[in-house]
Amino acid sequence: MQAATIQLPRILRIGAGASQTLVATLRELALARPLLVTDPFLVQSGFSERLLAPLEAAGIPCGMFGDCVPDPTTDSVAACLEVLRAGDYDCLVALGGGSSLDTAKGVSVLAVHGGEMRDYKVPASVASGLPVIAIPTTAGTGAEVTRAAVITDTASHEKMLCMGLGLVPVAALVDFELTLSMPPRLTADTGLDSLCHALEAYVSRKANPFTDSIALAAMQGISQHIRTACAEPGNRDAREAMMLAATQGGIAFANASVTLIHGMSRPIGALFHVPHGLSNAMLLTEVTAWSVGHAPERYARCARTMGMATTADSDTQALDKLVAGLRQLTTDLEVPGPRAWGIAGDDWFGAIGTMAEQALASGSPGNNPRLPDRADIEELYQRVWEG
Ligand SMILES: NC(=O)c1ccc[n+]([C@@H]2O[C@H](COP(=O)([O-])OP(=O)(O)OC[C@H]3O[C@@H](n4cnc5c(N)ncnc54)[C@H](O)[C@@H]3O)[C@@H](O)[C@H]2O)c1
Ligand SMILES: [Fe+2]
């Protein structure tokens, strides 16, 4: 096996109160003029203020861009870049879900290297930009530790995957207390995104021993705690476990890649504006069922790690139980299919060709244990329609 390359933030602080160490983090990194990048909900609900107050007390001036949109677009990134260029900033502090974090990552690269976001989509490799300190408020994307950013091209509606060392935040302050306010639907969607990251990383053709151990830990934490986090939003133990697992899932997939689920999920998000975690969740069971036979030992280990099968089960039995267990989980978490979510049949079936093309172009399906061609992907889109 080839040596694995692992890329991680220089500082990773995890636990209650981690977000309150921003002043110390800036000082450690010799950064002095941050621009806070966040979204309107987090501004209105006081999250940004709680971060800004200690900066003000410490005499650190901080600008703010508070207009991040879900699934950032080339337009919203351009608006943030304009604010950055109008000031004298030496770093970005990204506060929010994956959308705010990816906005800051995109801006950090454009600020230093110029050009358009589409210049940086895979297979291009993104070099270092302005330092980003990432503070996630969802337990989901793991973007605080990944070398990925997903930006939608406003013109073509393509969800562009950009990758490279330049997109790894310099620091991640991972504070589960920021997730206590997540409503059940957001908790389920973002948690299932993390589960897909871990599962896909573990079965990926680019998996390695380092990412394997972290992916398994993430799968165990999520399967054990996701139902509780949804049912009891204030349960601190469940929130803490979910946040840890989200970061672990991020580390795993960033260094082993995602596979077919994410490859097929991005076009659904881009064309139908289905939240990222939910579009993954819509695909999770069927894509796994289609793939298990091509890496039976790996998938069986996932089933046992998530408590869906035991060591008494043969691998074949464990694969059946994995598919059944994932179906049960998405049912319990009330994941709708595309149809139940409200997408019109004509729109869905009319878009299948384009979605299959975009999925293949992202490169992610090429890491799947079972390699799909265009017809396979089209058939899978048809299969998930009813949910
Ligand atoms: N860079 C990566 O590695 C990576 C990985 C996976 C996904 N993504 C991208 O991340 C985006 C999705 O991010 P997301 O799922 O975290 O959601 P998000 O950032 O789009 O946020 C969704 C909504 O949740 C709200 N929200 C955020 N935190 C909250 C909290 N604590 N309480 C209540 N509401 C809260 C936000 O205001 C927003 O309205 C997608 O664009 C996806 O493509 C990036
Ligand atoms: Fe994801």
Side-chain angles (χ1 to χ4, degrees), residues 91-360:
C91 63
L92 297 143
V93 174
L95 171 73
S99 297
S100 298
L101 272 48
D102 282 0
T103 304
K105 289 179 177 196
V107 168
S108 108
V109 169
L110 293 179
V112 171
H113 303 293
E116 307 283 337
M117 217 51 236
R118 68 180 63 87
D119 303 336
Y120 300 98
K121 73 176 189 179
V122 291
S125 184
V126 184
S128 291
L130 219 51
V132 173
I133 297 173
I135 308 179
T137 62
T138 61
T141 70
E144 66 277 7
V145 289
T146 70
R147 56 192 170 112
V150 186
I151 309 290
T152 301
D153 189 326
T154 309
S156 68
H157 301 293
E158 181 191 358
K159 254 187 137 186
M160 299 182 293
L161 174 64
C162 307
M163 302 274 294
L165 180 62
L167 297 169
V168 183
V170 66
L173 308 182
V174 183
D175 186 345
F176 73 87
E177 292 187 330
L178 302 182
T179 67
L180 291 165
S181 57
M182 282 204 295
R185 183 74 265 145
L186 185 64
T187 305
D189 293 350
T190 52
L192 289 168
D193 184 24
S194 304
L195 184 65
C196 291
H197 293 158
L199 178 68
E200 290 177 76
Y202 188 71
V203 301
S204 166
R205 286 167 184 257
K206 292 188 182 151
N208 57 72
F210 179 89
T211 56
D212 282 352
S213 64
I214 295 182
L216 289 169
M219 274 185 261
Q220 188 178 27
I222 296 163
S223 57
Q224 204 178 326
H225 295 280
I226 191 168
R227 289 179 174 87
T228 310
C230 292
E232 304 166 28
N235 187 311
R236 291 175 64 86
D237 289 344
R239 291 296 196 186
E240 184 167 18
M242 289 299 293
M243 194 58 154
L244 174 64
T247 298
Q248 289 169 325
I251 292 172
F253 96 78
N255 294 288
S257 187
V258 280
T259 59
L260 184 54
I261 297 174
H262 268 71
M264 289 180 62
S265 166
R266 285 184 217 102
I268 301 178
L271 294 177
F272 298 109
H273 305 289
V274 176
H276 173 71
L278 187 54
S279 55
N280 289 322
M282 287 173 176
L283 297 160
L284 173 60
T285 307
E286 288 301 336
V287 172
T288 302
W290 186 80
S291 306
V292 284
H294 288 244
E297 285 174 16
R298 292 234 139 206
Y299 280 109
R301 178 96 190 259
C302 294
R304 294 186 187 107
T305 299
M306 292 192 282
M308 293 170 182
T310 68
T311 46
D313 293 307
S314 68
D315 281 2
T316 312
Q317 288 168 324
L319 297 183
D320 288 342
K321 289 190 174 181
L322 174 65
V323 174
L326 293 175
R327 202 180 301 286
Q328 188 62 52
L329 179 62
T330 50
T331 303
D332 292 349
L333 298 180
E334 297 175 6
V335 172
R339 179 194 172 106
W341 198 74
I343 299 173
D346 286 352
D347 293 344
W348 180 262
F349 288 97
I352 282 180
T354 308
M355 292 199 291
E357 208 171 286
Q358 290 186 358
L360 278 172

